[in-house]
Amino acid sequence: MIEKFNFYDVYGYLVPGLVVVGLLFIPFGLFLHKWPTADFGSAILSLVFAYILGHVIQITVLGIIHPKIKDPFGKTRFPSDIFLDAESLLSTRLKAKIAQRCQELFEIDISAGKDPGNTTDTKEMNRISRDRGEAFFRARSALGRAANKGYGEQFQGLYAMLGGIVIGLGIAGCYFLGWAAAFWGYSCFAKYPIGIIGMEIILMAVAAAFAIQSRSNEIKKDRTQDRDIRIRAQDAKKAWEKALAVVLALASLWAGVLVGCRTLTGARSDAPHDDLAWIMMLLTMGTVIAAVRLYGAYRAFAKEFAVTVWRDFGDMAKDPPQQH
């Protein structure tokens, strides 16, 4: 985690949040012809809300989408793991230097030059991958403390931004789907306004609880030195992230139903709005297509990020500044 507010906060949190906030206004513009105002107060509130929303979105990124790719042997692994295999973008000399640094600084054997994917021993492959993954994150932290961070931090920001936008598009797609359901089923939903509001409150409360639980496992993982505890905390964190993503999708869907019904009630119109419902469905499909396309870019940046971190770590001074 980057402690100071910098371009990572803009790329990783603010931009994905602003994308979602902008998409949330589309139904209001289409139905009520009302778009966000340009006054200073509204802009500040939108930025603050987008920044907070961006943090929530980033919690779910690694739990839902991952940058894993297939190695030459057909096994799905992280790029930072594959680039330490015998044949990769990194030279043999650089991999040897990286392995030496990891052993000296972290006391981790990354088995550089070995091909864990070319084995039937799944347990051994997972062990090597876990060691390489832990070494990669510790190398990234070491670079963060170094005076010369290189381009790794920039790729990390872009990588986080694309992942956040992919999840944000999914949230917006569920929201549009809720609006379509409200347009088609308004006569049914309008009979239970308290129930709709109550369900949304419950879903948001559950989402907040899951986010807190995921964060607590992250803190537990970072503070312990016991490897088994870290692995268990990491697995628990991913499980909570997946659960949070499901609840956020349901909350977004139900928010679309709630806001859509309230908007129709305020407009005092119970007539069917099939045309707007189909527009919402088209927007839903559009967000899905855009998310799929951006996911490809997300994986490409993940590979660039991994290569950059390993290269910078291999070329870093032997004794990086220590964290106080």
Side-chain angles (χ1 to χ4, degrees):
M1 178 66 66
I2 299 173
E3 298 177 356
K4 297 185 295 182
F5 185 89
N6 54 21
F7 69 87
Y8 181 89
D9 293 88
V10 176
Y11 289 165
Y13 303 131
L14 187 58
V15 172
L18 285 175
V19 170
V20 177
V21 170
L23 291 173
L24 296 183
F25 276 99
I26 291 179
F28 295 102
L30 294 175
F31 182 68
L32 300 176
H33 305 290
K34 291 183 179 180
W35 300 96
T37 58
D39 61 278
F40 183 76
S42 298
I44 293 298
L45 288 176
S46 297
L47 289 174
V48 172
F49 178 71
Y51 186 69
I52 296 173
L53 181 60
H55 278 78
V56 177
I57 290 173
Q58 284 298 336
I59 293 176
T60 67
V61 170
L62 292 180
I64 298 301
I65 61 176
H66 58 76
K68 290 183 178 180
I69 57 177
K70 285 189 176 182
D71 63 14
F73 309 100
K75 304 292 180 60
T76 302
R77 296 152 58 204
F78 284 102
S80 57
D81 180 7
I82 295 175
F83 290 148
L84 296 176
D85 287 355
E87 298 294 332
S88 69
L89 294 175
L90 304 180
S91 66
T92 302
R93 182 178 180 182
L94 179 58
K95 283 182 286 192
K97 185 186 295 185
I98 293 170
Q100 182 181 359
R101 293 278 170 80
C102 288
Q103 187 66 48
E104 293 174 351
L105 298 177
F106 315 136
E107 297 182 352
I108 297 177
D109 179 14
I110 61 174
S111 302
K114 291 185 179 180
D115 293 319
N118 187 24
T119 179
T120 57
D121 189 349
T122 305
K123 185 176 180 180
E124 178 65 10
M125 183 186 75
N126 291 336
R127 183 196 65 79
I128 294 175
S129 294
R130 282 197 302 268
D131 288 341
R132 290 178 177 181
E134 183 174 352
F136 177 76
F137 285 112
R138 295 183 69 174
R140 186 183 67 180
S141 298
L143 287 172
R145 297 191 300 269
N148 183 11
K149 300 180 182 180
Y151 291 100
E153 188 177 343
Q154 298 180 29
F155 279 117
Q156 182 183 2
L158 294 172
Y159 159 67
M161 180 187 72
L162 288 172
I165 292 176
V166 169
I167 297 298
L169 288 171
I171 291 174
C174 293
Y175 176 73
F176 294 148
L177 189 61
W179 271 84
F183 285 140
W184 274 323
Y186 174 72
S187 60
C188 179
F189 289 126
K191 298 177 182 178
Y192 310 101
I194 303 301
I196 295 176
I197 296 173
M199 179 60 70
E200 183 63 22
I201 293 174
I202 291 173
L203 288 172
M204 294 302 294
V206 172
F210 284 3
I212 293 172
Q213 187 62 42
S214 175
R215 181 57 182 163
S216 66
N217 280 283
E218 176 71 17
I219 294 173
K220 182 179 179 180
K221 177 180 71 70
D222 291 341
R223 289 182 176 178
T224 184
Q225 297 298 321
D226 187 277
R227 179 174 179 179
D228 292 335
I229 296 178
R230 284 201 305 271
I231 292 174
R232 288 196 297 269
Q234 179 67 19
D235 292 340
K237 175 177 174 290
K238 289 182 179 180
W240 284 109
E241 287 171 349
K242 292 178 180 179
L244 173 60
V246 172
V247 175
L248 280 178
L250 293 175
S252 301
L253 174 66
W254 206 248
V257 173
L258 173 62
V259 178
C261 289
R262 297 288 292 179
T263 302
L264 286 174
T265 301
R268 297 179 180 179
S269 173
D270 57 357
H273 295 277
D274 290 347
D275 53 343
L276 290 175
W278 283 112
I279 291 176
M280 292 298 105
M281 290 299 297
L282 289 174
L283 287 173
T284 301
M285 290 186 288
T287 57
V288 171
I289 294 172
V292 171
R293 295 296 300 272
L294 285 177
Y295 178 61
Y298 165 78
R299 295 177 66 180
F301 268 110
K303 290 190 287 186
E304 292 293 334
F305 172 50
V307 169
T308 304
V309 168
W310 279 136
R311 283 176 175 166
D312 288 349
F313 180 69
D315 294 334
M316 187 179 66
K318 185 173 183 179
D319 297 316
Q322 297 299 311
Q323 186 175 17
H324 297 289

